[in-house]
Amino acid sequence: MDFRFDIVTDYMPFFLRGMGITIGVSLAGVLMGLILGLIIALGKMSSNKWIRLPFNIYINIFRGTPLLVQLLIIHFGIVPMFMSPSNPLVSLVIGLSLNSAAYIAEIFRAGIQSIDKGQMEAARSLGMTRVQAMKLVILPQAVKRVIPPLGNEFIVLLKESSLGSVVAAPELMYWGQAAAGEYIRVWEPYIAVAFIYLILTLSLTYLMNYVERRLSTDDQR
Amino acid sequence: MINVKNLKKSFGDNEVLKDISVDVAPQEVVVVIGPSGSGKSTLIRCINMLESINGGHVMIDGRDLTDKKTNINEVRTDVGMVFQHFNLFPHKTILENITLAPINVRGMKKAEAEEKASVLLAKVGLAEKASAYPESLSGGQKQRVAIARALAMEPKIMLFDEPTSALDPEMVGEVLEVMKQLARDGMTMIVVTHEMGFAREVGDRVIFMDNGYIVEQNEPKSLFDAPQHERTKAFLSKVL
């Protein structure tokens, strides 16, 4: 088998641009997923079952259906209701955010509920409101426990951003397919793309390990 | 100061408190004793609304906790609570543990709160631990910090939920000493404990609870030396 490096070098500018977009949409997805996820997690922990219900439904729908299906519905169904023509990057970011929010919510919920019940009681007994107790006592402790599973989720999200190629969002995988189509070659474009994804996920793993270490030495526990 | 009227509390089908009525006067030290499962911890947790109340009333300083209009958070700032397992905030230093609520709930200036915390830490004999984290403290030290943390809110009432039960025996004394000092200073206290010596020495009144009822209450000397009820006698014969 001959490996034509010239295909890889020819397409490198596009791969790099795609990588930039992959990083961009992943960051945006993570950021919005974190914010939405926290809201959903807190909603799902409400003591009122009618408040819990919609958050439960949300999590079940977004965890229970494939991201690919969600992405197609969002891109061809929902986004066109607000903008015309539909924008693949917007659709991809929305899809990744909404999907990861469901997983992140469950990560947050597990993290928050893993904090000893006595912490909330102590905070409340001092006159703190539920919100103050969450903000000052529970969440700062929960953050450390959710870092490892969150890192996992970020890696999944980064890889799943490759589904953007099906709605022609010009991220990394899109350019891989473009190269494969142009040269009618399989190995060079896909190996190059896989290699770039690997670099990204390994960097992310390294980064998350660093954050985890920093947080565990920041204070004594 | 504390008026509990016909208090009822159940966990599912299990009725833990059956019609409890008790009044506590200002500066009074009430010690609650009884076998495990008698409802004594639940009683003081209800006084702080850490447990919801199924029936009856709990009044703190004339404010009815069961009244929906009562601001529970505000009432709680007047009621300090010390837990069996300390429940210090592990991510905060000792000083921050104590200043957290005064700053965020009372709106106290940081410098003022820290100064006050230092005074309280000195009072419980832990001035040099201000910048340490709870993890590095012994059980007795943790509990003394927990007492200082509760006192920082300047409560009118202090509730102690088995404060020495999780401690190694040699650390019980240092915590009881702080509590005795507090009683001498005129704090209104309800103490759930198995420390009969403390009950006898510090208590103005001892309440014996069993099976969700107050079986008997009296001044310590009378209750310990001449219990009236069979159940009290049986319990005391086992623990004294």
Side-chain angles (χ1 to χ4, degrees):
Chain A
M1 183 190 79
D2 64 324
F3 193 91
R4 285 179 52 197
F5 276 100
D6 61 300
I7 297 179
V8 177
T9 41
D10 272 2
Y11 247 77
M12 198 40 89
F14 299 109
F15 287 157
L16 289 179
R17 198 190 304 163
M19 182 182 86
I21 289 186
T22 291
I23 293 173
V25 293
S26 299
L27 272 179
V30 162
L31 214 66
M32 289 206 275
L34 283 173
I35 296 167
L36 279 175
L38 182 60
I39 295 170
I40 295 164
L42 293 174
K44 201 187 159 175
M45 286 188 302
S46 164
S47 51
N48 181 326
K49 71 172 180 182
W50 293 109
I51 296 179
R52 283 202 304 270
L53 185 70
F55 296 102
N56 261 323
I57 293 174
Y58 180 96
I59 291 173
N60 284 333
I61 289 178
F62 278 90
R63 275 202 320 190
T65 58
L67 176 58
L68 178 58
V69 177
Q70 293 165 16
L71 199 57
L72 291 172
I73 292 173
I74 289 167
H75 183 61
F76 294 109
I78 295 171
V79 173
M81 292 196 271
F82 301 98
M83 59 198 294
S84 176
S86 189
N87 182 320
L89 280 180
V90 171
S91 305
L92 180 56
V93 169
I94 292 175
L96 288 174
S97 303
L98 296 183
N99 183 271
S100 68
Y103 288 92
I104 290 174
E106 288 295 81
I107 292 172
F108 278 150
R109 190 177 60 84
I112 290 168
Q113 289 180 342
S114 76
I115 304 297
D116 180 41
K117 200 159 79 40
Q119 292 288 311
M120 176 58 93
E121 291 184 349
R124 297 305 301 274
S125 79
L126 290 164
M128 290 185 208
T129 62
R130 230 185 115 74
V131 174
Q132 281 177 321
M134 265 293 165
K135 196 180 99 189
L136 299 168
V137 176
I138 308 297
L139 289 180
Q141 295 182 62
V143 161
K144 274 175 234 173
R145 301 199 186 171
V146 301
I147 293 293
L150 270 186
N152 226 352
E153 173 58 24
F154 293 168
I155 287 170
V156 169
L157 185 143
L158 191 136
K159 291 186 297 178
E160 288 193 329
S161 70
S162 62
L163 287 174
S165 60
V166 298
V167 295
E171 43 68 62
L172 184 52
M173 187 61 207
Y174 171 89
W175 290 109
Q177 287 186 324
E182 185 175 336
Y183 293 97
I184 327 283
R185 299 279 295 188
V186 172
W187 289 99
E188 292 83 357
Y190 291 140
I191 293 287
V193 163
F195 188 69
I196 296 175
Y197 275 117
L198 194 59
I199 291 172
L200 291 180
T201 53
L202 289 179
S203 312
L204 192 52
T205 306
Y206 181 82
L207 183 74
M208 295 304 289
N209 286 344
Y210 173 76
V211 171
E212 204 176 321
R213 264 200 317 275
R214 267 297 295 275
L215 279 175
S216 62
T217 50
D218 246 10
D219 49 44
Q220 316 292 300
R221 225 176 107 167
Chain B
M1 177 141 258
I2 304 171
N3 311 96
V4 178
K5 285 196 195 80
N6 308 111
L7 174 61
K8 286 190 179 68
K9 170 70 188 172
S10 308
F11 293 108
D13 292 337
N14 182 17
E15 193 170 32
V16 185
L17 296 178
K18 303 160 183 161
D19 199 30
I20 300 275
S21 294
V22 61
D23 296 315
V24 179
Q27 308 211 328
E28 193 181 7
V29 177
V30 174
V31 180
V32 185
I33 61 172
S36 0
S38 59
K40 51 196 195 309
S41 282
T42 308
L43 172 62
I44 68 165
R45 287 167 60 82
C46 283
I47 292 174
N48 209 357
M49 282 293 266
L50 286 178
E51 301 293 350
S52 59
I53 293 168
N54 298 126
H57 295 274
V58 175
M59 317 268 282
I60 305 284
D61 242 356
R63 290 166 293 184
D64 189 344
L65 296 186
T66 54
D67 185 344
K68 287 257 185 295
K69 279 174 281 185
T70 305
N71 183 342
I72 300 292
N73 296 319
E74 202 181 295
V75 177
R76 281 193 181 127
T77 62
D78 289 337
V79 184
M81 178 108 180
V82 175
F83 301 86
Q84 180 177 358
H85 295 288
F86 331 123
N87 298 349
L88 294 180
F89 306 135
H91 61 303
K92 300 278 184 192
T93 65
I94 299 308
L95 195 73
E96 288 165 346
N97 261 274
I98 300 175
T99 59
L100 191 68
I103 291 173
N104 291 285
V105 178
R106 288 257 195 250
M108 203 183 269
K109 292 263 188 312
K110 188 163 181 258
E112 190 190 346
E114 285 180 351
E115 199 183 305
K116 199 163 173 294
S118 305
V119 173
L120 284 168
L121 272 180
K123 196 172 159 187
V124 299
L126 290 170
E128 78 286 358
K129 294 290 185 185
S131 56
Y133 281 86
E135 202 184 40
S136 66
L137 267 55
S138 71
Q141 290 173 328
K142 280 182 192 165
Q143 196 60 299
R144 284 186 280 155
V145 170
I147 293 173
R149 178 177 70 178
L151 290 176
M153 292 299 283
E154 298 184 339
K156 296 176 186 157
I157 299 163
M158 285 285 281
L159 306 174
F160 292 85
D161 186 3
E162 304 202 21
T164 58
S165 299
L167 298 178
D168 291 340
E170 74 267 28
M171 290 169 185
V172 170
E174 62 191 64
V175 172
L176 292 181
E177 201 45 56
V178 171
M179 291 166 63
K180 280 179 202 168
Q181 184 57 47
L182 207 52
R184 279 197 288 272
D185 292 347
M187 177 64 75
T188 309
M189 293 163 57
I190 302 183
V191 183
V192 171
T193 188
H194 295 293
E195 294 294 327
M196 298 304 151
F198 175 86
R200 191 187 277 268
E201 188 188 336
V202 185
D204 294 314
R205 178 160 42 122
V206 177
I207 292 176
F208 173 68
M209 281 183 73
D210 190 22
N211 201 19
Y213 292 105
I214 292 181
V215 176
E216 184 170 353
Q217 52 180 316
N218 213 331
E219 55 176 294
K221 199 170 160 28
S222 314
L223 187 122
F224 285 119
D225 297 343
Q228 299 299 309
H229 210 282
E230 283 308 320
R231 300 265 276 287
T232 320
K233 282 178 198 164
F235 176 73
L236 289 177
S237 71
K238 277 182 214 144
V239 297
L240 286 180

